[in-house]
Amino acid sequence: MIDWRDLCMPLVSVFEGCEKRLHGLIYPYLDKLAKPPVWTRGYGRTYGIKGDSEPITLAQAKDELKAGLGSYGARCAGYAPVLMTKPECMAAVTSWAWNCGTGAFKVSRLRKAINEGRWTDAAQLIRKPNTAGGVVLKGLARRREAERALFLLGGE
């Protein structure tokens, strides 16, 4: 069976990017599209990040992403254990949660559909949200479609 992390890392990396590089280091930045705005570093890491957090190297950013996805994936699997039997679905949901939060997944209709075995419904629900501040963002819509495509490879 394929490891879900091998599917998730490249997906998240492409859509999160790795912003605010200067002299080989990656600095925190304020993501103003988030409501409320949130300090972010590397590949979308927000937890524990402040405006004065230390800059990191690209290798450290990749390590942070790998560790963060492992933690987020564990939480998602705790909320929907069947995901551990479907690596494509696990990777897609963990990418979604990296962007929306594990708390959002915990209370989502997406989680409910997965736990009820409604895979077709879940494949539709993973497409949302695709807005920020009430506006559909093309990049976010592309991310949701990529997550959906991956999810469909594992869903029944």
Side-chain angles (χ1 to χ4, degrees), residues 35-94:
K35 300 295 179 212
V38 62
W39 284 101
T40 305
R41 181 178 68 194
Y43 291 101
R45 177 180 169 183
T46 57
Y47 55 92
I49 303 300
K50 300 179 282 187
D52 62 354
S53 292
E54 291 292 319
I56 58 174
T57 65
L58 182 57
Q60 288 172 310
K62 289 178 181 178
D63 288 345
E64 280 187 354
L65 176 60
K66 185 176 183 179
L69 291 176
S71 174
Y72 275 52
R75 285 188 215 138
C76 290
Y79 301 141
V82 70
L83 287 173
M84 291 306 293
T85 67
K86 299 176 176 292
E88 296 89 352
C89 296
M90 179 68 177
V93 167
T94 301

Side-chain angles (χ1 to χ4, degrees), residues 10-23:
L11 178 63
V12 172
S13 297
V14 165
F15 286 103
E16 290 289 347
C18 195
E19 295 296 323
K20 300 299 177 192
R21 296 184 196 187
L22 181 64
H23 306 297

